[in-house]
Amino acid sequence: MVHVSTDLDDPRFTAFGLFAEAFTGLTNRFAAQFEEHRLSTVEFEVLMRLARSPGRRLRMTDLAGQTSLSTSGVTRVVDRMDRDGLVRREACPSDRRSSFAVITDAGVNRLDEVLPGHLELLQQWFIGQLTPGQLDGMLDSLRKIRDAVNPCATAGTGEDRPAAAA
């Protein structure tokens, strides 16, 4: 017989389990809507990050820090999106080793197609489930956790726009 010495009812397991289940459920609901617009979840994430960044661009390394992708993963996704005309690369004038990912007009147009339905889903399944006070508290908590586990997440967003990275 195997004995587990840890309390499996520890509320820390419950907290993270609920977070993971909620995130997975939301992601699955959003993915189907993105596919209707010929976008993957990660492509949507890249377009949103670029559209909400100063100059509608981010260094590739900053984009990796703000998304669920590694540096090499960002390179592959941006290359694919570049071929599809949704983003383009620009050389960084101050550092020859760096480049920027920039959202194109076609990328902005694709977002314009996707966002009304996405906002409806966000309202129905996420924002609409919370009171304004609950939402404010959750946003504060998520930023605190994000900043601890991913301090690079706001890189390239500009000092005056900390909420844009959320």
Side-chain angles (χ1 to χ4, degrees):
M1 176 179 221
V2 176
H3 177 68
V4 177
S5 61
T6 303
D7 177 10
L8 297 177
D9 291 326
D10 188 312
R12 292 173 288 186
F13 293 133
T14 303
F16 188 78
L18 288 170
F19 171 79
E21 290 169 15
F23 178 79
T24 300
L26 289 168
T27 301
N28 291 340
R29 290 187 187 271
F30 300 155
Q33 192 251 345
F34 297 150
E35 288 174 19
E36 293 174 12
H37 295 279
R38 305 169 323 277
L39 284 177
S40 69
T41 300
V42 74
E43 290 168 336
F44 175 79
E45 185 179 14
V46 166
L47 290 177
M48 283 295 291
R49 293 293 177 166
L50 294 176
R52 297 184 72 201
S53 295
R56 293 185 168 177
R57 68 184 192 165
L58 283 169
R59 287 181 194 256
M60 296 286 283
T61 52
D62 294 338
L63 185 57
Q66 291 185 27
T67 62
S68 57
L69 297 167
S70 64
T71 304
S72 61
V74 162
T75 298
R76 287 189 298 275
V77 169
V78 167
D79 286 348
R80 183 175 67 240
M81 294 176 77
D82 186 17
R83 286 191 299 274
D84 292 341
L86 301 174
V87 300
R88 71 175 184 276
R89 285 186 191 236
E90 281 183 4
C92 177
S94 62
D95 184 355
R96 292 185 332 206
R97 297 167 297 174
S98 294
S99 63
F100 289 99
V102 183
I103 190 169
T104 63
D105 289 342
V108 171
N109 290 340
R110 186 73 61 88
L111 270 181
D112 285 342
E113 294 170 6
V114 175
L115 288 179
H118 184 61
L119 286 170
E120 286 178 22
L121 291 174
L122 279 172
Q123 185 62 41
Q124 179 180 2
W125 297 109
F126 186 52
I127 305 305
Q129 302 296 317
L130 304 170
T131 66
Q134 289 171 325
L135 179 61
D136 288 344
M138 186 181 67
L139 291 175
D140 290 343
S141 297
L142 289 172
R143 280 192 184 99
K144 183 176 181 108
I145 295 165
R146 187 264 328 263
D147 291 348
V149 299
N150 191 4
C152 305
T154 60
T157 60
E159 296 293 319
D160 57 334
R161 292 183 56 189

